[in-house]
Amino acid sequence: MMLNVPREIKRVTKQVLIELSSRSERLNLGRGREPGWLDQYLADDAMGSLRAILLERLPKPCYRCLILIKRADREVEHFLLDVLPEDFDRLEDVVGEDLLRFTRWALSQIPLSPLPAE
């Protein structure tokens, strides 16, 4: 099986993340947040993103993905989650104007340190 890390950014909802985290748990893959935590702390209407950053091979080939999504308190949560390639492929791509809006939003979430005056 020849796999490369995909470049697409995928759209995810709270429910999709709970399902992916549950599958990851059953398969003993890496997950940064447990399904119960996601259910309790993510906003019900949360729409986030998932981006593959690394290919893992054990215990099963999967993509280690970075998740960005809003919590119920409207703060942004980011964590890693291992996702099977077939699950990744089924997710909707963020493209066009949505990708531009997402990129602006994601960049606005990065805390900036003030530069020295000199």
Side-chain angles (χ1 to χ4, degrees):
M1 173 188 272
M2 182 68 160
L3 294 174
N4 293 314
V5 177
R7 299 178 61 138
E8 298 86 9
I9 296 174
K10 301 291 190 166
R11 187 181 321 271
V12 291
T13 63
K14 174 182 177 175
Q15 190 56 45
V16 167
L17 281 179
I18 290 171
E19 291 166 9
L20 291 173
S21 181
S22 295
R23 180 168 293 125
S24 184
E25 186 174 52
R26 284 192 309 276
L27 297 173
N28 293 315
L29 302 176
R31 62 201 178 286
R33 297 289 181 261
E34 302 291 329
W37 188 96
L38 296 169
D39 189 43
Q40 182 176 353
Y41 290 104
L42 292 184
D44 289 335
D45 63 345
M47 184 67 68
S49 69
L50 180 148
R51 179 174 176 260
I53 58 173
L54 181 68
L55 175 62
E56 290 290 333
R57 298 217 179 263
L58 297 173
K60 185 174 181 109
C62 61
Y63 301 126
R64 174 124 329 136
C65 297
L66 177 62
I67 312 296
L68 289 172
I69 195 164
K70 284 189 181 179
R71 297 188 312 235
D73 64 5
R74 296 299 179 201
E75 292 294 318
V76 174
E77 187 70 21
H78 58 277
F79 57 95
L80 298 174
L81 177 66
D82 288 352
V83 176
L84 297 175
E86 56 270 22
D87 291 335
F88 183 91
D89 291 341
R90 279 193 282 268
L91 297 172
E92 179 187 353
D93 290 349
V94 179
V95 295
E97 286 295 316
D98 286 341
L99 181 58
L100 182 58
R101 276 192 294 282
F102 167 75
T103 303
R104 287 180 177 148
W105 172 79
L107 288 172
S108 75
Q109 303 305 309
I110 300 170
L112 298 176
S113 298
L115 295 173
E118 65 255 2

